[in-house]
Amino acid sequence: MSDFFQSIVGKVESVLGGDVQTLVRQQFQSLAQPQTIQTLLDRADQAGLGDKVRSWISQSGNVPATPDEIRSILGSDAVHALVEKTGLPADTVVTALVHFLPDAVDRHTPDGVLPTTDTTKSA
């Protein structure tokens, strides 16, 4: 597992407690995909939260998100899918996302721009 994913898993474990690495490892792999970050930005724009997600992409500080904002950006279907895949309660999943999603996006956009497919294949 790359240092990036190990870092995210560690953050989620600290938020959720216990060893959740097996449950969430596959879910974090999708965060490295450029289309996922673009989709987050598109959904955030639709929810009126585009500036918040753009702060995660930019080289300035990350503006934190609330659980309700994460739910608005991801949508109930995505949250439900994560609940189904991890077996964790929705509130727990959303709380974990509040803590690590801005950092995950920030790490995959170190130059302040959305990544291309070629730059994330090795991640």
Side-chain angles (χ1 to χ4, degrees), residues 61-77:
N62 294 337
V63 176
T66 67
D68 287 339
E69 290 170 335
I70 293 293
R71 286 178 195 269
S72 293
I73 292 168
L74 295 179
S76 60
D77 288 345

Side-chain angles (χ1 to χ4, degrees), residues 13-109:
E13 287 176 346
S14 70
V15 170
L16 300 177
D19 181 15
V20 297
Q21 183 171 352
T22 304
L23 295 173
V24 297
R25 181 184 316 177
Q26 295 156 344
Q27 305 314 308
F28 295 140
Q29 296 294 329
S30 68
L31 291 175
Q33 304 303 313
Q35 63 271 20
T36 303
I37 296 173
Q38 181 62 57
T39 299
L40 284 173
L41 181 56
D42 293 344
R43 288 184 178 182
D45 282 338
Q46 292 170 0
L49 299 166
D51 288 343
K52 188 162 288 204
V53 173
R54 280 184 187 80
S55 79
W56 306 344
I57 295 168
S58 75
Q59 292 179 318
S60 62
N62 294 337
V63 176
T66 67
D68 287 339
E69 290 170 335
I70 293 293
R71 286 178 195 269
S72 293
I73 292 168
L74 295 179
S76 60
D77 288 345
V79 172
H80 181 71
L82 288 168
V83 167
E84 290 293 315
K85 290 176 182 178
T86 63
L88 298 169
D91 288 342
T92 302
V93 169
V94 172
T95 298
L97 289 168
V98 163
H99 289 280
F100 83 81
L101 189 58
D103 188 52
V105 172
D106 188 43
R107 286 180 180 231
H108 276 288
T109 57

